Amino acid sequence: MKKDVIGSPPRFVKLALVTSVSLVMLFALLACGGTTAEQGDGTQDAGSLRLATTTSTKDSGLLEAIIPVFEAQTGISVEVISVGSGEAIALGESGEADVLLVHSPGAEKSFVEEGHADDTGRLDVMYNDFIIIGPVADPAGIASSTGNDAVASFTAIAQQEAVFISRNDNSGTHSKENSIWEKAGIEPDGSWYVKAGDGMGAVIAMANEMLGYTLADRATWLSNAASTELKIVCEKDPTGILFNQYGVICVNPNKNSSINHDGAVVFQQWITSPEGQALIAEYGITLFGEALFTPNADQALATAA
């Protein structure tokens, strides 16, 4: 599992100053009409940004907490396209999004290597973890028999043919689910394995209705838990298999003439800046008693410096 990295204070201060100066310069560029997002009628809209992102950032409530702050500070309006990470990445590949906020590391790496990102590439933003949730009765006996072993938990679910709801939407969560089944040596099939093809919030609701299990990100679970009769049956696997990292990527402006690359860069720098990271760190504490995400952009910057 990725561990916290603490950089020396002088280095972090320098990086924060550099980021702040860059943001000021970019905001000034925007004020002078520097962005060029083409509208359908051929005119240019300097203040609109298309953010393609995973459903977990929306379903958890994070975007509702931070996007208005970004819009107020920059004058850029954000159109949130909330889909699975796979679909969000596909939108970036086709030039139908300006910036991505996703959590599918393997697909993100391929996206960058294949030239779909700008020269900055992918930056870490934050992380949390995945959990396995299920009925309070726990018919597969996961909580009492497999502990915090995710692979053993999936194995028990398959052996008991207990209802399992799969995202089945090419999302980051679906990709993680598939990797756990693969490690368990199981190809899930049968009436017990339900392919939802939907977002995280909807899948949690479905698991609640069908008294089934599912893999969820902790943030979306915490924001939906009170409305369900489900519980966490497996979490914090020591192997790190349940680690959930999010990244931000600006789409290569050569993909489409309508891409608002300047605005995408502003967003990328803002969400990885000390201010953006502080907002992420604070989200959830008041509502749920704990932060839903842990910001870690500064760790990546400190490592690169």
Side-chain angles (χ1 to χ4, degrees):
M1 179 178 290
K2 189 169 184 178
K3 297 181 179 179
D4 289 349
V5 177
I6 302 177
S8 61
R11 178 184 296 173
F12 179 77
V13 171
K14 177 189 283 188
L15 290 167
L17 289 172
V18 170
T19 301
S20 298
V21 171
S22 299
L23 286 171
V24 169
M25 293 176 65
L26 283 164
F27 293 167
L29 176 63
L30 290 172
C32 295
T35 55
T36 56
E38 186 177 343
Q39 300 184 94
D41 60 3
T43 61
Q44 301 297 312
D45 178 9
S48 180
L49 182 68
R50 298 167 299 176
L51 169 64
T53 184
T54 174
T55 61
S56 61
T57 58
K58 181 177 183 296
D59 291 349
S60 65
L62 175 68
L63 295 184
E64 291 182 11
I66 69 172
I67 292 298
V69 179
F70 171 79
E71 292 178 325
Q73 291 182 354
T74 65
I76 302 173
S77 63
V78 180
E79 175 192 354
V80 175
I81 306 170
S82 178
V83 290
S85 286
E87 188 173 347
I89 289 171
L91 289 171
E93 291 176 351
S94 62
E96 298 177 77
D98 305 308
V99 63
L100 312 178
L101 179 59
V102 288
H103 67 140
S104 188
E108 294 165 40
K109 183 174 184 289
S110 296
F111 183 87
V112 173
E113 290 177 346
E114 293 169 6
H116 301 299
D118 71 357
D119 292 340
T120 301
R122 177 197 171 281
L123 299 179
D124 283 345
V125 176
M126 60 192 181
Y127 67 88
N128 61 10
D129 62 344
F130 291 104
I131 54 177
I132 302 173
I133 58 176
V136 172
D138 191 14
I142 292 174
S144 60
S145 63
T146 65
N148 55 8
D149 188 325
V151 173
S153 297
F154 269 38
T155 300
I157 290 170
Q159 289 176 340
Q160 296 295 322
E161 295 192 352
V163 175
F164 184 94
I165 315 298
S166 171
R167 285 278 298 271
N168 194 47
D169 62 349
N170 196 30
S171 62
T173 304
H174 184 215
S175 177
K176 176 63 68 174
E177 178 208 322
N178 286 340
S179 71
I180 298 174
W181 287 123
E182 183 177 354
K183 285 186 176 296
I186 296 171
E187 293 186 13
D189 192 24
S191 60
W192 62 274
Y193 186 70
V194 181
K195 299 178 180 180
D198 214 333
M200 194 72 260
V203 166
I204 290 175
M206 188 179 297
N208 185 57
E209 292 171 4
M210 300 182 68
L211 296 179
Y213 295 91
T214 194
L215 181 72
D217 68 280
R218 188 179 295 272
T220 309
W221 163 247
L222 287 173
S223 60
N224 286 272
S227 62
T228 76
E229 296 181 5
L230 304 173
K231 69 176 183 179
I232 297 175
V233 294
C234 178
E235 61 180 335
K236 300 179 180 178
D237 186 313
T239 67
I241 196 171
L242 297 178
F243 183 71
N244 186 24
Q245 176 70 52
Y246 291 76
V248 60
I249 309 171
C250 294
V251 175
N252 186 335
N254 295 326
K255 299 295 294 183
N256 191 315
S257 62
S258 68
I259 287 177
N260 182 354
H261 182 246
D262 290 337
V265 171
V266 171
F267 179 81
Q268 185 184 58
Q269 293 204 0
W270 180 85
I271 202 170
T272 58
S273 72
E275 181 176 7
Q277 294 281 282
L279 289 173
I280 292 171
E282 294 166 2
Y283 179 67
I285 294 176
T286 300
L287 290 173
F288 309 110
E290 62 180 286
L292 271 60
F293 300 90
T294 299
N296 65 342
D298 61 310
Q299 297 173 16
L301 288 171
T303 301

